[in-house]
Amino acid sequence: MAAADRIREVFSKRGGILRLVPNWVPRLFNRPGRRMRLHPDDLFCLGAARGAIKERWFCSITPAINGPLAPPDEGLSRVEMSRDYNDTVFFRDAMDSLGADLIGPDLHKKYGAWPMFAKYFDYEGPLFHHLHLDNASAAKINMAGKPEAYFFPVQMNNYLGDFPLTYFGFDPGVDKNEVRRRLEEFEAGDNRITELSRAYRVELGTGWYTPPGVVHAPASVLTYEPQWNSDVSSVLENVVQGEVIPRDSLVSSLPDNEKNDMEAIMAMMDWDLNIDLHYKEKYFLPPLPIDTGTKDYSESWITYRNPFFAAKETVVPPGGSALVKDEAAYGCIIVQGHGSFGTYDDAEAPILLRYRQLSGDEYFVSEKAARDGVRVVNRSMHEDMVILRHFGPNAGAPTA
C-alpha cells in the first residue's frame, strides 16, 4: 500500500486523530533538568558530542537548528502507524497527504501547513539571555520569525532547578548604548548582561507570552512552550553559571555580511518592548477559566493574547467522561492520568520512557474531529486527567 493511502487508512480508522511518537531533542548547552520522564540512562544516548536530551517537541514540522552533527530530521515529529516503533511516518508527510482534512481549510489555505508546534524544555540551570528574531530579521536568512509562549505545568515540576526566575528585557532606565557596550565585549570577558535586566519568579500553573525581539533568560523549570514554526535566535549573554557561550551564538541568525555589524546585531532587538514599563501587565498569562457548559470537565486558556497560537489546559475529574469540542485542529500532550482519548483506549501520561519507545500521551486532532468532539475518559478513581492542548491562530483565544 502506498504511504499516502496508509496514512489515510489510519486517519480514517482512528476517527481523524493521530498518535505521535516521542520526539526527543538534545542540546549541547546547560544541564538536563531530568523532569521529562525520560529514563536517566538515556539522557546522553546520542553521544557526549551531542549533549544531553533536554527538550521534547510536539507536532513539529520544523527541523532543529542543532549544529553540524544533527541529522536533518532532528526535531521532526513522527506519527504512529501501528504499535511498532519502526512503523512511523513523518507528521510533515501525514500533513501533506491529508492537507485540509487534517488542519482545516482556513489554515491550509493561508499557510499550506500546520504553522506552529509546542515543546518541553527542561534545564537544571537558567538559560542564557537571548532573543528570537521577528519576521523582518529572519527573512534575511530565509526563515520565519519566532514568537513563543510559556506555561509551567505543576505536574512536570517536582523541583524548580537552580534558578526559578526568568529575565525579560532590560530595566526601563537602561541606556541602549550600555547594552551595545556589553555586546561589543562579548569575547573580552563575562559581559554580565543580566545586570541590566529584570527577573520575575516563576509561578507554577501560569505562563508568559514572549514577542520576537524581546531578550529573555528562561527559568530553570520544565516549561511547556507553544511557538511559531521556527528555530532562530541570538544569544546576548556570554557566560552562564560558568558555561562559556561562543560568539557564533550571538550572530548565527545573521547573514554572513552582517555578522560583524553591531548595528545589525542591535537591530534584532525590539528596544521599545525590551524597556516597556508595563511588560508584566501585557505579557504575564494567568490561566483564564473557560465556561464549558458542563461539569464533565473544566478548562482554562493558558496561552492567549497573541495572534499566532493558543493553548488550553483541560481537566477531566477522576472516573469522569467528557466530550471535548473545539472549532480548530490541535496537538496535545497528556501530563497526568490514564484512560481513553477518542478511539485510543490506552491513553496515559508516562511515568518513565526509554528513548525509541512509543507512548500514549501525544495526539493530533483534526479540525473535523475537534468540532465533532473527542471523548475523553479518565479511568483513574483518584487522579485528574490533565491535557495540555496547543492550537494555531484560529482557536478563538482571547486577544486582549
Side-chain angles (χ1 to χ4, degrees):
M1 183 183 295
D5 293 335
R6 181 101 189 281
I7 290 167
R8 284 210 164 266
E9 180 184 61
V10 172
F11 183 70
S12 176
K13 177 183 177 181
R14 289 300 188 173
I17 303 173
L18 301 175
R19 180 149 64 187
L20 278 65
V21 177
N23 178 17
W24 307 106
V25 176
R27 297 292 197 186
L28 275 171
F29 50 82
N30 212 305
R31 304 180 304 279
R34 303 172 182 263
R35 290 162 293 199
M36 290 192 296
R37 300 170 181 170
L38 176 66
H39 196 290
D41 288 352
D42 292 345
L43 288 170
F44 289 90
C45 66
L46 297 177
R50 298 300 322 283
I53 292 173
K54 306 181 184 84
E55 300 184 5
R56 179 179 171 185
W57 291 18
F58 308 120
C59 65
S60 167
I61 63 169
T62 300
I65 298 177
N66 227 2
L69 297 179
D73 62 353
E74 190 157 273
L76 298 180
S77 293
R78 291 178 175 268
V79 175
E80 172 191 302
M81 293 285 102
S82 67
R83 295 307 283 168
D84 179 348
Y85 187 90
N86 295 308
D87 187 17
T88 65
V89 299
F90 285 118
F91 177 62
R92 177 179 60 190
D93 294 340
M95 184 189 59
D96 288 344
S97 295
L98 297 168
D101 289 341
L102 182 63
I103 65 176
D106 291 343
L107 290 184
H108 191 257
K109 181 179 179 180
K110 186 170 184 178
Y111 301 105
W114 180 242
M116 62 85 65
F117 67 101
K119 67 172 71 160
Y120 288 153
F121 63 81
D122 180 32
Y123 295 86
E124 186 178 53
L127 281 176
F128 32 63
H129 215 34
H130 68 287
L131 61 80
H132 299 293
L133 281 63
D134 62 17
N135 283 330
S137 295
K140 295 178 180 180
I141 55 170
N142 299 314
M143 299 287 283
K146 184 189 172 185
E148 63 187 25
Y150 312 136
F151 178 72
F152 312 114
V154 175
Q155 296 83 3
M156 305 297 294
N157 279 294
N158 57 309
Y159 81 106
L160 299 181
D162 290 347
F163 194 81
L165 300 98
T166 292
Y167 289 99
F168 289 109
F170 299 107
D171 186 84
V174 166
D175 185 85
K176 195 173 185 178
N177 289 324
E178 174 63 8
V179 175
R180 178 175 180 142
R181 185 184 68 78
R182 303 248 181 163
L183 296 181
E184 288 172 339
E185 297 174 351
F186 201 93
E187 295 181 288
D190 187 349
N191 70 7
R192 300 196 302 270
I193 199 164
T194 52
E195 291 176 349
L196 308 179
S197 187
R198 48 192 168 174
Y200 300 87
R201 185 173 175 86
V202 162
E203 301 176 45
L204 295 184
T206 71
W208 294 80
Y209 171 63
T210 305
V214 171
V215 190
H216 55 289
S220 59
V221 300
L222 183 143
T223 301
Y224 167 72
E225 178 188 304
Q227 65 158 88
W228 203 243
N229 274 348
S230 184
D231 194 26
V232 289
S233 63
S234 173
V235 179
L236 280 68
E237 185 175 13
N238 64 344
V239 179
V240 186
Q241 290 194 335
E243 179 183 6
V244 177
I245 309 299
R247 186 180 184 276
D248 182 64
S249 298
L250 173 67
V251 298
S252 60
S253 293
L254 285 172
D256 289 343
N257 66 333
E258 293 186 350
K259 290 187 185 297
N260 293 309
D261 184 342
M262 187 52 63
E263 292 298 329
I265 293 170
M266 294 293 293
M268 289 188 285
M269 285 184 276
D270 185 321
W271 185 252
D272 290 340
L273 286 182
N274 276 286
I275 60 170
D276 192 333
L277 277 168
H278 305 288
Y279 191 88
K280 182 175 182 180
E281 179 183 338
K282 293 177 180 178
Y283 299 118
F284 176 65
L285 301 177
L288 290 182
I290 299 169
D291 182 4
T292 64
T294 175
K295 294 182 178 179
D296 292 345
Y297 70 103
S298 62
E299 63 182 10
S300 299
W301 291 109
I302 55 174
T303 296
Y304 52 96
R305 209 184 289 159
N306 77 84
F308 303 103
F309 41 71
K312 294 179 178 180
E313 180 186 54
T314 301
V315 180
V316 179
S321 175
L323 187 66
V324 179
K325 292 188 176 183
D326 289 277
E327 289 301 308
Y330 61 88
C332 65
I333 181 74
I334 301 171
V335 295
Q336 182 178 344
H338 70 278
S340 296
F341 187 85
T343 57
Y344 297 87
D345 61 4
D346 55 350
E348 61 183 9
I351 295 173
L352 194 65
L353 293 172
R354 299 304 302 251
Y355 187 76
R356 294 181 62 85
Q357 177 182 341
L358 297 174
S359 68
D361 61 342
E362 184 184 356
Y363 301 87
F364 191 89
V365 178
S366 66
E367 182 172 278
K368 183 179 185 304
R371 291 182 173 185
D372 292 343
V374 177
R375 175 64 61 181
V376 180
V377 179
N378 182 356
R379 294 204 179 90
S380 174
M381 294 295 104
H382 310 286
E383 290 189 88
D384 289 334
M385 191 170 188
V386 182
I387 309 170
L388 306 182
R389 303 192 292 133
H390 30 276
F391 299 79
N394 60 339
T399 57

